[in-house]
Amino acid sequence: MGYSIKTYYRKEDLPPMVEEINFFHSPSSFDWYANSPTYTPLMLVAFEDDEPVAAMFAVIVRINRFLRGKLFKRCFISQQPAFFKRKLPQIEIFDALITHLVKEVRNRVFLIRYENLANAIFGYKGFRENGFYSVKWINIRNSLQRKRKIWDQLSRTRKNQVNKALKKGIALEEFTSEGKLPEIYKLIRDTNHKKVSRRFPPYQYFENFFHHYVRKGKGKILLARHQGKIIGGIILGFEKRETVYCLYYWGKSKRYKLLYPTIFIIYQAMQVSENKGFNYFDFMDVNFLNKNAGRSRFLLQFGGKQRATRRWYRFNWGLLNFFAHRIYD
């Protein structure tokens, strides 16, 4: 059975039947990326006859504030699309969605990147047929529904560090004051900007998240405070009562090394998620597969499991894409 695909650039134009079932592919995603010259959000909706059966949200990102050409734009997609029915031929629908996306943006962006798929083989055929190449990555996810509580899943080192942080007076605080959002943004930017793999998001990105997610119970911003100063924090997104996504975390680990602010805030976020009845805490893609890097080892000490996954890339410049295939595949 064939599926027709339509592209929407405004939330107001979406069919009313498009549901909020997937954190990364919901109508609310338009609100998250709205009113910023850095982002151009779009959503592809698959129809069976006139009924929407799936949706895939993507965002075109301008990586230079002054230069506007195709060379300075990227298209990013995260997680599997939202499917509105059970027992749908998901792979067939995904193939149609990814094919349409390539046609939609190939003359507008230099690179397309699809990440956080979790399942390493999902969409393999559609990616290959549309000229994507893959890079192996690691996904880390913690189960919150085990008989062993979060505390019992921590390594001995992590338990000692959390206890030391508590003894030295670090307190957990939920961020609810819009007036202090510029201060929080500056802290994240100054502490974390070198660790972000692409251009650090503008202030509007975090302001939109606060208004459309935190205030509506679809996310939280948690802070670690010591002697009146904010020394760490974490931004969480909620997918119904199922999964908590760790979008950003940061800590002043150099200045407050012996207080372990990053370790403290991650543990507290997982504890809050467990107490609220969520099933999973997802760090998403964290590093190259088999790379002896610190971040994956660091996160695995919180009790999660790693799983092999892929990031898919497509350069919209044939020669460069050809050489990328030869190097990575």
Side-chain angles (χ1 to χ4, degrees), residues 90-196:
Q90 294 188 1
I91 300 303
E92 180 183 347
I93 295 172
F94 179 79
D95 291 353
L97 287 167
I98 198 68
T99 300
H100 189 89
L101 176 71
V102 169
K103 293 178 181 177
E104 184 75 23
V105 305
R106 65 184 174 189
N107 294 321
R108 302 179 60 189
V109 303
F110 181 63
L111 171 74
I112 305 172
R113 184 172 98 186
Y114 209 126
E115 60 191 7
N116 300 325
L117 277 167
N119 187 334
I121 63 172
F122 180 86
Y124 187 92
K125 175 174 174 288
F127 283 122
R128 289 299 189 194
E129 289 179 347
N130 284 282
F132 285 78
Y133 68 91
S134 66
V135 177
K136 294 179 180 179
W137 277 71
I138 293 172
N139 173 274
I140 294 181
R141 198 181 210 200
N142 288 66
S143 174
L144 305 178
Q145 49 188 343
R146 301 179 186 174
K147 292 181 180 179
R148 294 175 63 211
K149 298 296 183 182
I150 286 297
W151 177 256
D152 298 325
Q153 296 178 38
L154 300 184
S155 68
R156 181 179 300 177
T157 300
R158 289 288 173 261
K159 288 180 179 178
N160 290 337
Q161 290 164 339
V162 172
N163 281 330
K164 287 178 182 178
L166 290 168
K167 288 178 181 178
K168 292 180 180 180
I170 294 188
L172 180 69
E173 177 183 310
E174 184 174 344
F175 179 76
T176 57
S177 174
E178 181 183 356
K180 294 185 178 180
L181 194 58
E183 176 189 358
I184 301 302
Y185 176 72
K186 185 177 185 303
L187 280 170
I188 303 172
R189 184 188 62 198
D190 294 346
T191 307
N192 215 42
H193 75 283
K194 292 181 181 178
K195 301 177 184 177
V196 179

Side-chain angles (χ1 to χ4, degrees), residues 130-286:
N130 284 282
F132 285 78
Y133 68 91
S134 66
V135 177
K136 294 179 180 179
W137 277 71
I138 293 172
N139 173 274
I140 294 181
R141 198 181 210 200
N142 288 66
S143 174
L144 305 178
Q145 49 188 343
R146 301 179 186 174
K147 292 181 180 179
R148 294 175 63 211
K149 298 296 183 182
I150 286 297
W151 177 256
D152 298 325
Q153 296 178 38
L154 300 184
S155 68
R156 181 179 300 177
T157 300
R158 289 288 173 261
K159 288 180 179 178
N160 290 337
Q161 290 164 339
V162 172
N163 281 330
K164 287 178 182 178
L166 290 168
K167 288 178 181 178
K168 292 180 180 180
I170 294 188
L172 180 69
E173 177 183 310
E174 184 174 344
F175 179 76
T176 57
S177 174
E178 181 183 356
K180 294 185 178 180
L181 194 58
E183 176 189 358
I184 301 302
Y185 176 72
K186 185 177 185 303
L187 280 170
I188 303 172
R189 184 188 62 198
D190 294 346
T191 307
N192 215 42
H193 75 283
K194 292 181 181 178
K195 301 177 184 177
V196 179
S197 58
R198 53 182 183 262
R199 183 189 172 189
F200 192 75
Y203 175 77
Q204 191 69 47
Y205 174 94
F206 292 96
E207 185 178 49
N208 287 342
F209 182 81
F210 180 78
H211 283 293
H212 298 287
Y213 286 79
V214 175
R215 282 188 166 176
K216 295 181 180 179
K218 295 188 289 185
K220 277 187 185 295
I221 301 175
L222 301 176
L223 305 173
R225 190 179 289 274
H226 181 256
Q227 295 180 351
K229 295 181 180 179
I230 298 170
I231 63 172
I234 193 166
I235 298 178
L236 309 173
F238 301 153
E239 186 170 279
K240 294 187 175 180
R241 305 300 300 179
E242 177 71 12
T243 304
V244 177
Y245 293 105
C246 178
L247 304 175
Y248 286 94
Y249 64 84
W250 75 98
K252 292 186 175 182
S253 300
K254 291 184 178 179
R255 187 172 180 180
Y256 297 94
K257 184 177 180 179
L258 298 180
L259 298 178
Y260 308 105
T262 305
I263 293 162
F264 172 82
I265 198 65
I266 291 176
Y267 163 70
Q268 292 291 354
M270 295 173 67
Q271 189 66 66
V272 167
S273 303
E274 181 182 68
N275 293 342
K276 287 186 173 293
F278 286 95
N279 292 328
Y280 299 100
F281 191 94
D282 200 336
F283 291 102
M284 298 181 285
D285 295 359
V286 299

